[in-house]
Each structure stands twice: as C-alpha cells, then as structure tokens.
C-alpha cells in the first residue's frame, strides 16, 4: 500500500510517498512543493493544489497522512497561512478518494523518537536511520513529510493487527 505523508506549509510543503508492505517501508518519492511569496495568496493556493494534485495523480496513494495544524500563539499569521495551505491540501486529497489521516506533531515525534518534543535534527536522524539513508534528509520539510508517512503507515499496520486479533 502506498501512503503519502504531508508536512503542510504555504511557502514550502514537504511530501513523501512511501510503499508499505510485508514489514518494510520504502521511499518511492519525496520532495517539496513551493510557492512564490511575492504572489497573491489565492494564486499560491492554486499553485500548491496543482502541484499536490500532480503528486497524487502520479502515485495514487491509498492513504494521505497530514500533520495537524500547530502554531505558537506568538505567530498567528503563520498559523492562518498554514491553515489555508492545509485546507487546500486536504481538499485536493479528498477529491482523489484517498483515506485521510491526521497526526499531531507530538504524536509523530513521540512515535519516531520516544520524545514528543524532539528537535528537527532528531527527526531527520530518526528518518535517516529508519530508511538507512547515507545522509540526513533535506530540507527538514521532506524529513517531516517522511515522518508523517512512517507514522501513518505504522498506524495502519497496527490497526490491521488489532483487527486480525
């Protein structure tokens, strides 16, 4: 089963398509979708949706895992921009018929590192280890998307095991 992990952002959205099967996880594709900060927000959202639609069209993941919105109260503008981007990404995924799962950042971090407050570097190292990568995944948006994908794939596997028991 292919799973797409998303780390939403208006300027940069990380995405990762992971193939989960027979106790293994493999990276199919990972990258970032970017928008031009000098462009009006409505055009940026269209650009983001178009880029994500192409990823979904190419790989047809059965499940899309998305990081839930979190922003510090000191940065409300960032939270609003992320919410716009997340909404467009969710709408785009929903139109494909893929199942959508939501994960908090602390859940993802705890799952990968055992620490819900893990740093970006700790997440990058956990992903590097999980996939036996020669180098840290860069940029950290890609590492975060891979982390969402891993968490989603493992969550689905756990649910299947529970259903089988």
């Amino acid at each position: 089963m292919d799973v797409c992990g998303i780390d939403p952002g208006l300027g940069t959205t990380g995405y990762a398509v992971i193939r989960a099967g027979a106790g293994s996880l493999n990276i199919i594709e990972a990258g970032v979708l970017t928008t031009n900060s000098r462009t009006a927000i409505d055009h940026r959202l269209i650009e983001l949706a178009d880029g994500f639609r192409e990823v979904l069209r190419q790989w047809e993941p059965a499940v899309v895992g998305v990081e839930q919105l979190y922003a510090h109260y000191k940065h409300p503008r960032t939270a609003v921009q992320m919410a716009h981007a997340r909404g467009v990404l969710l709408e785009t995924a929903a139109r494909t018929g893929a199942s959508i799962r939501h994960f908090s950042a602390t859940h993802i971090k705890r799952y990968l590192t055992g620490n819900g407050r893990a740093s970006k570097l700790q997440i990058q190292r956990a992903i590097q280890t999980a996939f036996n990568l020669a180098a840290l995944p860069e940029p950290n948006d890609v590492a975060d998307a891979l982390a969402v994908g891993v968490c989603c794939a493992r969550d689905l596997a756990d649910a299947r095991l529970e259903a089988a028991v």
Side-chain angles (χ1 to χ4, degrees):
M1 171 190 310
D2 289 351
V3 172
C4 181
I6 298 295
D7 177 38
L10 182 59
T12 304
T13 289
Y15 71 90
V17 180
I18 297 171
R19 183 154 296 146
S24 68
L25 296 174
N26 296 299
I27 300 170
I28 304 302
E29 180 175 293
V32 293
L33 303 169
T34 58
T35 64
N36 184 343
S37 63
R38 296 182 183 160
T39 305
I41 191 167
D42 51 337
H43 295 288
R44 293 175 77 185
L45 293 171
I46 290 169
E47 188 179 350
L48 181 60
D50 289 346
F52 188 46
R53 188 176 301 108
E54 185 54 38
V55 169
L56 296 174
R57 196 175 288 139
Q58 181 176 1
W59 300 108
E60 299 179 345
V63 182
V64 175
V66 184
E67 186 173 327
Q68 290 177 337
L69 179 62
Y70 170 80
H72 197 274
Y73 66 90
K74 291 182 181 179
H75 306 286
R77 180 179 160 95
T78 301
V80 171
Q81 289 179 339
M82 282 180 59
H84 287 313
R86 189 173 187 278
V88 165
L89 295 164
L90 290 173
E91 188 267 346
T92 302
R95 287 189 182 275
T96 70
S99 174
I100 300 171
R101 301 185 63 110
H102 309 269
F103 299 92
S104 70
T106 54
H107 176 81
I108 295 163
K109 291 174 180 184
R110 190 176 312 112
Y111 187 86
L112 287 168
T113 69
N115 176 5
R117 294 180 169 265
S119 69
K120 294 281 188 187
L121 180 59
Q122 288 172 306
I123 295 299
Q124 287 174 296
R125 286 185 176 149
I127 292 298
Q128 180 183 24
T129 301
F131 290 103
N132 198 26
L133 302 174
L136 290 176
E138 292 282 348
N140 60 24
D141 305 284
V142 170
D144 290 349
L146 284 162
V148 174
V150 166
C151 192
C152 185
R154 297 276 164 86
D155 194 56
L156 290 167
D158 291 347
R160 272 185 259 145
L161 280 175
E162 286 178 16
V165 173

